[in-house]
Amino acid sequence: MTEIVLMSDPKVAVVPVQECGERLVDVRRDSRLLVDERKWQDSAGAFAHLREGVLDRLFKAQALLPEGMRLLFVEGYRPPSLQRHYFDEYAHQLRTDHPEWSVEQVRSATSRYVSPPEIAPHSAGAAVDLTLADADGHELDMGTRMNATPEESADACYTQADNISGEARSHRDILSTALTTAGLVNYPTEWWHWSYGDRYWALMTGAETAHYGPRELD
């Protein structure tokens, strides 16, 4: 695999944000997108929101999929407080498992799986966790479960991992081609995480500024 820029890399944090003010929209209001129910315990429905520009690109990506396949949306917007909780929780787990690691090693390893809260694409409404489903809404084989950690999956959660089946590789390639063509970028340690308009997207595409910064749900 080629060198991966992690979310904790200072190059990501220094990308300037020129907030465009685009609203967050509830993806459940449009039946074109399958929405998984695993996050529906979130009574505020924050998980189901995305910036309008990101949702428009998901519709474009879905139109590029082979017949009989659909995108299955799992999580979009994540409040900054929840992002902080996820980051701290996973960092604590890694510190416990690796007491010899430095603070920077823990932060870097944590960012493979949870973005540092201050630059998190999810908290900007710019990122989406999603997978592929068949025409009946059943998830397709992607090689690991969504949100598998590097530890539990032997790094098979990395998008270009070579320790997955040929079928899973084909599905990942189909997903990647559609989303990349629609203008989104992938976080290479998580095959399911894609974003548009955030700092990571700007760094990966060479854009001068990010369009979306962290915000609270209205």
Side-chain angles (χ1 to χ4, degrees):
M1 290 182 283
T2 57
E3 183 181 357
I4 291 173
V5 177
L6 294 175
M7 289 285 184
S8 60
D9 194 304
K11 293 195 294 286
V12 181
V14 299
V15 173
V17 177
Q18 188 170 345
E19 173 60 55
C20 68
E22 194 174 281
R23 65 180 183 140
L24 288 162
V25 293
D26 191 331
V27 304
R28 295 171 296 183
R29 295 179 181 174
D30 194 309
S31 60
R32 286 178 288 174
L33 199 63
L34 283 176
V35 180
D36 188 87
E37 295 186 1
R38 72 189 77 181
K39 295 282 184 179
W40 281 40
Q41 71 273 16
D42 169 12
S43 59
F47 80 97
H49 288 73
L50 283 176
R51 298 285 190 138
E52 279 186 298
V54 183
L55 181 57
D56 287 344
R57 283 165 175 78
L58 292 187
F59 292 145
K60 292 176 183 177
Q62 181 156 268
L64 297 170
L65 294 175
E67 185 175 356
M69 289 187 185
R70 296 186 68 182
L71 297 178
L72 178 60
F73 173 101
V74 176
E75 185 178 16
Y77 175 74
R78 191 180 294 157
S81 59
L82 182 58
Q83 183 72 25
R84 168 62 67 183
H85 171 72
Y86 285 162
F87 187 84
D88 290 348
E89 185 176 55
Y90 188 48
H92 175 73
Q93 177 187 326
L94 291 176
R95 280 195 300 270
T96 301
D97 293 342
H98 303 279
E100 75 283 4
W101 282 3
S102 68
V103 171
E104 186 52 44
Q105 282 177 301
V106 171
R107 178 178 167 83
S108 178
T110 302
S111 75
R112 296 173 304 163
Y113 185 62
V114 186
S115 175
E118 62 274 12
I119 55 94
H122 279 290
S123 295
V128 57
D129 293 340
L130 78 176
T131 187
L132 285 178
D134 63 20
D136 297 319
H138 301 125
E139 289 185 54
L140 300 180
D141 177 17
M142 304 297 286
T144 74
R145 70 177 184 88
M146 181 177 288
N147 291 326
T149 66
E151 291 78 21
E152 74 177 75
S153 68
D155 290 346
C157 59
Y158 283 47
T159 306
Q160 295 301 325
D162 56 12
N163 56 338
I164 60 175
S165 70
E167 181 180 39
R169 167 53 53 207
S170 175
H171 291 157
R172 288 191 189 186
D173 289 346
I174 289 170
L175 182 67
S176 295
T177 296
L179 291 167
T180 300
T181 302
L184 286 84
V185 299
N186 172 241
Y187 189 43
T189 62
E190 301 176 336
W191 59 259
W192 56 85
H193 177 106
W194 292 80
S195 68
Y196 168 81
D198 60 292
R199 283 184 168 110
Y200 195 83
W201 166 86
L203 181 64
M204 293 296 102
T205 62
E208 292 184 1
T209 62
H211 304 320
Y212 311 131
R215 59 171 294 173
E216 297 291 342
L217 184 65
D218 297 332

